[in-house]
Amino acid sequence: MAAQASPRATTETAKAWANTDFRSELPNVTVPTLIIHGDDDQIVPIETSSEQSSKEIRDNKYVVIKGGSHGLFVTHKEQLNSYLLDFLRQ
């Protein structure tokens, strides 16, 4: 997906993700939130992302997909879609 975006936008987005600590903002999320993460994600560690988010965002549903990598929408699309649809139906 990033290959289709402008190179400058992709670079600046990566810099923002790498250099901005958004944790203080998590308690400000006030809508029902679905957090899905694969436990085999080698790009974004689950311990420093989803696990922390699930503790700080109120009214969340946290799902860990066993064996899931960073590209859940490709590797575990049926499971991912099922969780998304169930969440949206609530």
Side-chain angles (χ1 to χ4, degrees), residues 12-52:
E12 293 302 315
T13 299
K15 286 181 189 176
W17 287 336
N19 298 314
T20 307
D21 184 353
F22 294 104
R23 288 177 292 182
S24 66
E25 297 295 324
L26 295 176
N28 296 327
V29 177
T30 60
V31 296
T33 303
L34 175 62
I35 302 167
I36 302 177
H37 205 117
D39 67 357
D40 193 33
D41 188 334
Q42 303 297 306
I43 307 297
V44 178
I46 195 170
E47 298 83 10
T48 59
S49 57
S50 297
E51 284 184 13
Q52 289 184 14

Side-chain angles (χ1 to χ4, degrees), residues 55-81:
K55 293 174 185 168
E56 297 294 329
I57 296 174
R58 294 181 302 269
D59 195 17
N60 79 77
K61 179 176 181 175
Y62 179 36
V63 177
V64 176
I65 296 182
K66 301 290 181 202
S69 65
H70 190 68
L72 292 173
F73 64 96
V74 174
T75 62
H76 291 75
K77 62 185 170 193
E78 290 83 15
Q79 270 184 286
L80 178 63
N81 286 336

